[in-house]
Amino acid sequence: MMIVVALIGGLILGILFFGGLWLTLKRTLGSSYVALWLLGSSLLRTAIVLTGFYYMSQGSLLQLLVSVAGFLAGRFVILRLTRQLEQKQAILTEISQS
């Protein structure tokens, strides 16, 4: 049961980390405080993920590895979602320009 919890927790951490990265990069495009956004976001995302891994592993290497696998799966979820979102935005931009 704890293995499933570690997998789901890692997936959530991956979605938070990589989704936060994507949002940060989107926000910095129009900001005059790019370095502050990147540094703050990086520190916050890293602190959340490391804390999550610490509590999910509970001293078990297997649970840590499973949560890291979930974390990587979260990366692929965010890649797919952001790619679809950007394709839809590109189509809407083309439609509005014609």
Side-chain angles (χ1 to χ4, degrees), residues 35-89:
L36 185 61
W37 272 105
L38 291 175
L39 180 64
S41 171
S42 177
L43 290 174
L44 180 64
R45 288 181 293 113
T46 302
I48 290 170
V49 168
L50 289 177
T51 303
F53 282 150
Y54 175 76
Y55 284 110
M56 278 188 295
S57 70
Q58 296 179 356
S60 168
L61 180 61
L62 178 61
Q63 284 180 236
L64 178 62
L65 293 175
V66 169
S67 61
V68 169
F71 179 80
L72 294 176
R75 177 181 181 262
F76 292 111
V77 168
I78 290 297
L79 279 175
R80 179 174 291 251
L81 290 175
T82 56
R83 195 173 293 149
Q84 290 174 354
L85 181 64
E86 289 181 2
Q87 286 174 350
K88 287 179 183 178
Q89 287 176 347

Side-chain angles (χ1 to χ4, degrees), residues 13-23 45 71-72 74-75 78:
L13 287 175
I15 290 171
L16 286 173
F17 184 86
F18 293 107
L21 175 61
W22 182 75
L23 287 173
R45 288 181 293 113
F71 179 80
L72 294 176
R75 177 181 181 262
I78 290 297

